[in-house]
Amino acid sequence: MSDPITASLRPVPGPGRERSALTLAGAVQRGGFRLEVDLTVEPGEVLGVIGPNGSGKTTLLRTLAGLTPLTEGRVCVGEQVLDSAEPPVFVAPEQRPIGFVFQNYRLFPHLSVRDNVAFAPRCRRTGRRQSRLIADEWLNRLGLSDLATRKPPQLSGGQAQRVALARALAALDAKTKLEIRAELRRHLTEFPGATLLVTHDPLEAMVMTDRLIVIENGRIVQRGEPAAVARRPATQYVARLVGLNLYHGVLDDSGRVVLDDAAGTLIATHPLPADAATPGRVLVAIRPTAIAVHTVRPDHFSPRNVWAGTVTGLELLTDRVRAQVSGTPSALVDLTPDAVADLGLAEGRPVWLSAKATDLDIYPDTQ
């Protein structure tokens, strides 16, 4: 099974259990970390869970599986209470009607990170040199190049996870990935019980789940259908995951947003869309494809929609180039390779950015 899926949990079929909802309303205190969650997974539903490392996803799964007891609240499958702080109830993990697929990296401890990843294409009889080139490509894409010569015992948990993900991706061609994803989705659709699926892959989250919850710092910060979460992210983590620029600011009565981290820069948003937020704290989401890059300040845009920046990075993403631009505000911008060449873009190049008011998605900041 594809390694982008971190773990899954579901009620084990039994008389009546496969049609029971899985619920958790409570808290877990582990040292200085506290997880507070209120969720329900209906029968036949796949609830996706995403969040950065250390947010509480593993603690959530361990609590549902009975490996970490609740500090407050209760866990139930249908009417059966599995864990309750008051009155005290605790059903042992092996007696719970729940199955738990653990996360396991299975890295070879005697091989370097590069050779662990290269092992995957080597198994397909790819030559040693080409296998290492494939490994280096995935290590670079996942930000692991600096760890290439380390051995697994020298890695943190998060680093080991990314190495395992790199190896899985190096092992699969695009067609195989699609086949695996389709087969897993079919299996989940046919399963009548509730399923909780934790993943770090945004595409998995979009196509494999019915609803999503986002956990950060031990609490749920966003929930909804995958498309809604992706279109209007509530936090920078989700925005980065789905590839959007996200800014915090204050919307005034005239339809302008004063951005928090943009040194007073104003983004014109008038006239506002019918479904836009009311004046107050808002979030502004902008697609990287909706931001234009200029080598000189454009005169045909409102100055509130134009700002200066400096190119700090260029990354090839299949058929486009993603430019990282540091400015007020900073932004990710997607361009064609031809546009990058025509503009003469390179790291350190000063540029001007512009965005049309109609391309800004403005919605309430509920955090």
Side-chain angles (χ1 to χ4, degrees):
M1 189 49 60
S2 174
D3 276 351
I5 293 176
T6 303
S8 63
L9 181 151
R10 58 176 46 175
V12 174
R17 289 172 177 166
E18 69 275 13
R19 295 295 181 183
S20 298
L22 173 66
T23 61
L24 186 158
V28 179
Q29 189 76 41
R30 299 184 67 187
F33 178 78
R34 181 178 175 84
L35 172 70
E36 295 185 15
V37 173
D38 183 355
L39 63 84
T40 298
V41 192
E42 298 294 342
E45 180 183 34
V46 180
L47 177 66
V49 182
I50 59 175
N53 290 334
S55 61
K57 303 186 301 297
T58 300
T59 299
L60 169 62
L61 291 174
R62 289 179 59 87
T63 299
L64 292 170
L67 302 175
T68 299
L70 278 172
T71 306
E72 303 172 16
R74 60 172 52 191
V75 174
C76 301
V77 171
E79 299 298 321
Q80 182 184 6
V81 178
L82 305 180
D83 192 351
S84 173
E86 185 61 42
V89 175
F90 186 81
V91 177
E94 67 274 13
Q95 297 176 335
R96 295 191 177 201
I98 286 178
F100 187 19
V101 179
F102 285 90
Q103 173 177 282
N104 193 324
Y105 310 127
R106 297 189 182 278
L107 300 177
F108 300 112
H110 63 290
L111 297 180
S112 68
V113 165
R114 176 184 286 114
D115 287 339
N116 261 281
V117 179
F119 178 82
R122 287 283 286 169
C123 287
R124 300 200 311 269
R125 301 193 177 186
T126 303
R128 182 185 298 274
R129 182 175 179 275
Q130 183 62 25
S131 294
R132 286 198 165 190
L133 289 175
I134 293 172
D136 287 340
E137 177 187 353
W138 283 109
L139 292 177
N140 180 59
R141 291 179 66 173
L142 295 178
L144 295 166
S145 296
D146 293 343
L147 307 177
T149 59
R150 293 190 189 180
K151 300 288 181 66
Q154 298 173 297
L155 304 177
S156 69
Q159 290 168 341
Q161 182 181 53
R162 283 187 291 161
V163 172
L165 175 58
R167 185 175 62 183
L169 293 171
L172 301 176
D173 56 29
K175 181 175 182 293
T176 305
K177 291 177 191 175
L178 289 174
E179 290 173 351
I180 288 176
R181 186 177 292 122
E183 176 62 21
L184 180 56
R185 182 56 185 166
R186 183 191 64 78
H187 174 66
L188 293 176
T189 300
E190 294 176 354
F191 180 68
T195 300
L196 197 70
L197 187 66
V198 176
T199 178
H200 289 276
D201 186 304
L203 183 57
E204 302 281 354
M206 294 301 111
V207 303
M208 302 292 292
T209 67
D210 301 306
R211 283 189 303 124
L212 278 179
I213 62 171
V214 184
I215 297 180
E216 295 188 35
N217 299 316
R219 65 187 185 94
I220 297 176
V221 297
Q222 190 172 5
R223 64 176 86 207
E225 295 183 356
V229 172
R231 186 170 70 89
R232 291 187 164 182
T235 68
Q236 289 293 345
Y237 166 77
V238 181
R240 289 193 300 269
L241 197 67
V242 299
L244 291 179
N245 294 292
L246 184 67
Y247 307 115
H248 295 256
V250 177
L251 175 68
D252 64 22
D253 292 327
S254 66
R256 300 180 303 173
V257 177
V258 181
L259 302 182
D260 292 350
D261 57 355
T265 297
L266 300 177
I267 295 183
T269 60
H270 188 74
L272 288 174
D275 64 343
T278 56
R281 297 291 308 172
V282 295
L283 294 169
V284 181
I286 311 177
R287 290 174 288 106
T289 54
I291 300 177
V293 180
H294 315 266
T295 54
V296 296
R297 183 185 180 103
D299 296 327
H300 57 287
F301 278 91
S302 162
R304 290 170 295 187
N305 283 352
V306 175
W307 66 99
T310 301
V311 177
T312 58
L314 293 168
E315 179 185 8
L316 181 63
L317 301 176
T318 59
D319 61 341
R320 66 190 189 281
V321 176
R322 174 156 293 177
Q324 300 177 21
V325 180
S326 177
T328 52
S330 297
L332 298 175
V333 185
D334 285 354
L335 307 100
T336 64
D338 288 346
V340 172
D342 292 342
L343 293 167
L345 297 186
E347 291 189 26
R349 175 71 187 265
V351 294
W352 289 91
L353 303 180
S354 63
K356 296 180 181 179
T358 53
D359 286 329
L360 310 183
D361 192 2
I362 304 166
Y363 48 99
D365 185 354
T366 59
Q367 298 300 308

